[in-house]
Amino acid sequence: MKNFSKLALVALFIASGAFMTSCNDDDNKAAEPASLYAKLGGTTKVSDPNNPGQMIEQGRLSYRSVVDSTITLIVADIVTGAEGNLGAHFAPIVSEVSSGNATNVSILSKNLTDFFSANTGGGATNVYTGLDMVAAHDPAQNPRMGVKSTDADYDKFIGYVGTAAGLNGVTDPQLINEVVAVLESLRAPIVQE
């Protein structure tokens, strides 16, 4: 019984501390939910595995890791001739890489990482300066895009992102649903066929 009383006293002390903290005038505003960028690690600096001796925000690293894995999965399907691959979309870039020039793959990775980082809560330290989504996905405006996308193509792309997220440890269903919601919000400007 004595241990129960001590435990109850400790619980009461913790609860009263939480109550007093929550009554602070600064906390009267409703807490804003954490951004997707924050949930993926936010602005916490970590070592950049691609650039030894440099630091990178964990949120940006999370996006870059998923972006790079997505690109790798797409290329693997193109190389193996997998049914429904996105080779026609990435033909200009794949052609360059086949000739030994990976510059535009790096640009694609950076642009996608910038876009998602800047638009999901990392905008204070991340900026996207690329084309808008309509222009970026229209071969007439962007020579790095092979063909316009259909809904089926975009569904395939979302599948690649989901697989890449899992490969990079993003397995929380709520977090994945948030990522899918962001991707779905981009469907209209990207799907042009």
Side-chain angles (χ1 to χ4, degrees), residues 73-90 147 150-160:
L73 291 168
I74 291 169
V75 169
D77 273 1
I78 293 169
V79 169
T80 62
E83 186 175 331
N85 73 64
L86 301 179
H89 298 277
F90 295 95
V147 297
T150 65
D151 277 318
D153 297 329
Y154 197 61
D155 289 343
K156 179 87 171 175
F157 176 76
I158 290 173
Y160 284 123

Side-chain angles (χ1 to χ4, degrees), residues 126-147:
N126 294 278
V127 178
Y128 173 72
T129 58
L131 299 171
D132 66 63
M133 290 299 99
V134 172
H137 294 87
D138 180 0
Q141 298 179 63
N142 180 6
R144 291 179 12 215
M145 181 59 60
V147 297

Side-chain angles (χ1 to χ4, degrees), residues 93-159:
I93 293 175
V94 170
S95 175
E96 291 172 0
V97 170
S98 297
S99 301
N101 180 359
T103 302
N104 284 327
V105 173
S106 295
I107 291 170
L108 176 63
S109 173
K110 182 185 179 315
N111 280 346
L112 287 170
T113 301
D114 288 347
F115 180 83
F116 287 111
S117 296
N119 289 293
T120 61
T125 55
N126 294 278
V127 178
Y128 173 72
T129 58
L131 299 171
D132 66 63
M133 290 299 99
V134 172
H137 294 87
D138 180 0
Q141 298 179 63
N142 180 6
R144 291 179 12 215
M145 181 59 60
V147 297
K148 290 184 178 182
S149 294
T150 65
D151 277 318
D153 297 329
Y154 197 61
D155 289 343
K156 179 87 171 175
F157 176 76
I158 290 173

Side-chain angles (χ1 to χ4, degrees), residues 2-147:
K2 205 174 202 182
N3 285 339
F4 177 76
S5 297
K6 286 181 183 178
L7 189 57
L9 184 61
V10 169
L12 181 62
F13 179 75
I14 291 171
S16 66
F19 176 76
M20 295 303 277
T21 303
S22 69
C23 291
N24 187 333
D25 286 339
D26 294 338
D27 293 336
N28 285 339
K29 298 178 252 174
E32 290 186 34
S35 69
L36 183 53
Y37 189 81
K39 291 176 184 176
L40 291 171
T43 58
T44 301
K45 294 283 192 165
V46 297
S47 293
D48 185 344
N50 291 359
N51 301 297
Q54 294 185 21
M55 303 296 281
I56 186 171
E57 290 181 355
Q58 180 62 58
R60 183 173 183 80
L61 177 59
S62 295
Y63 274 121
R64 188 182 72 198
S65 298
V66 171
V67 163
D68 289 350
S69 293
T70 300
I71 292 169
T72 299
L73 291 168
I74 291 169
V75 169
D77 273 1
I78 293 169
V79 169
T80 62
E83 186 175 331
N85 73 64
L86 301 179
H89 298 277
F90 295 95
I93 293 175
V94 170
S95 175
E96 291 172 0
V97 170
S98 297
S99 301
N101 180 359
T103 302
N104 284 327
V105 173
S106 295
I107 291 170
L108 176 63
S109 173
K110 182 185 179 315
N111 280 346
L112 287 170
T113 301
D114 288 347
F115 180 83
F116 287 111
S117 296
N119 289 293
T120 61
T125 55
N126 294 278
V127 178
Y128 173 72
T129 58
L131 299 171
D132 66 63
M133 290 299 99
V134 172
H137 294 87
D138 180 0
Q141 298 179 63
N142 180 6
R144 291 179 12 215
M145 181 59 60
V147 297

